[in-house]
Amino acid sequence: MLRVIRTLGLAVLLAGMSLVAAPSAGAATTLTPVGGGTGIIFRIVPSPEDPQGYQVCTLTAVGRDATGNLVGLTNAHCFIDEQGNKLVGATLYRDTSPAGTAAAPADLKASRPDLATGPIGTVTYVSTPNNLLNTGPKGLDFAVIDLDETRVAPTDTVGQTTITSIGAPPANGVRMCKQGHRTGLTCGIKLGTHNMWFTHLIWTDGGDSGSPVVSGQTLVGNAWGAQHSSPILSIIDEMNANGGVGAGFHLAN
């Protein structure tokens, strides 16, 4: 996650452009593609039309749940405020700023909400965050988003990453990659496990929180910083146990 104040550029560790036709009577609406690696912007103040303060993260994946809802996933810590409140009910937009690379990270002060598309979803669940650097309870650090199908459609390819399946992290020493809005595609080997997470040498930066971690075209986890990620199969298990939006999650395409 990264919070940006335009005049200050405040950053917090941990962390496809498309055009949308405005709906009109009798005219078809072009849906905005979103998927694992799409940048999102939220907690916008004072308003989406005048975004002077905001936070940014990256979608992990887009899929459907058992009842057919179009669902997005990202990190929990994206939607936890400074007092520790979980921001269930928060709305989010697609980030219109161009995605960056490791050599040329996206300009976070240039992030802007996609006003043509409008709000793309509502947060319905925020898990326990990772809490790696504090004494709080440890969690898988994921959030569930009920996406608006009148505005967005799923895509399996964002940037240089295509996601076609879901699976477990590979063996230690195997190369994996992440696709983040801030630093694009970066790769590194899997190192091992730490508590409920797996560790690796994949570079992330503020704004990459929630990035999909893939082995080939298989989604294996979400990246939340400090070279740690949460296994996607564990996240799905927790969503299934919780019920509601997200339960029975599978890829949408």
Side-chain angles (χ1 to χ4, degrees):
M1 175 180 71
L2 193 73
R3 182 177 184 180
V4 175
I5 298 175
R6 184 184 299 168
T7 58
L8 190 59
L10 176 64
V12 179
L13 175 65
L14 293 176
M17 300 288 287
S18 64
L19 297 177
V20 177
S24 60
T29 300
T30 302
L31 300 177
T32 299
V34 292
T38 296
I40 53 174
I41 181 170
F42 47 92
R43 296 183 66 186
I44 305 167
V45 293
S47 71
E49 294 73 23
D50 182 26
Q52 298 186 33
Y54 47 83
Q55 296 188 5
V56 294
C57 283
T58 299
L59 289 179
T60 305
V62 172
R64 293 195 182 275
D65 64 14
T67 61
N69 296 309
L70 190 65
V71 174
L73 303 176
T74 189
N75 280 158
H77 71 260
C78 299
F79 296 101
I80 297 177
D81 68 16
E82 292 75 12
Q83 291 72 46
N85 300 307
K86 295 182 176 182
L87 304 179
V88 172
T91 59
L92 61 147
Y93 291 74
R94 186 181 68 91
D95 188 343
T96 63
S97 66
T101 65
D107 179 1
L108 290 159
K109 290 185 286 185
S111 288
R112 294 293 181 273
D114 180 354
L115 298 177
T117 301
I120 64 171
T122 303
V123 176
T124 62
Y125 179 78
V126 177
S127 80
T128 302
N130 61 78
N131 287 327
L132 176 68
L133 303 179
N134 62 47
T135 58
K138 309 303 181 188
L140 291 170
D141 205 336
F142 71 94
V144 180
I145 302 157
D146 189 2
L147 293 171
D148 185 346
E149 289 194 75
T150 69
R151 301 176 186 269
V152 298
T155 180
D156 59 7
T157 300
V158 175
Q160 300 178 67
T161 296
T162 297
I163 298 172
T164 58
S165 62
I166 291 173
N172 294 348
V174 173
R175 182 176 183 266
M176 304 180 299
C177 300
K178 77 96 182 63
Q179 182 74 44
H181 189 70
R182 168 74 161 153
T183 59
L185 185 74
T186 58
C187 303
I189 64 169
K190 177 172 177 275
L191 294 177
T193 58
H194 178 203
N195 295 328
M196 63 189 71
W197 317 299
F198 62 96
T199 59
H200 46 72
L201 293 178
I202 301 171
W203 172 249
T204 61
D205 203 349
D208 287 330
S209 290
S211 298
V213 178
V214 297
S215 178
Q217 296 187 350
T218 299
L219 175 67
V220 299
N222 73 357
W224 47 258
Q227 283 68 59
H228 281 63
S229 296
S230 298
I232 189 64
L233 294 179
S234 298
I235 290 171
I236 290 172
D237 285 345
E238 188 169 318
M239 287 194 292
N240 291 344
N242 291 336
V245 176
F249 182 88
H250 56 280
L251 294 177
N253 34 301

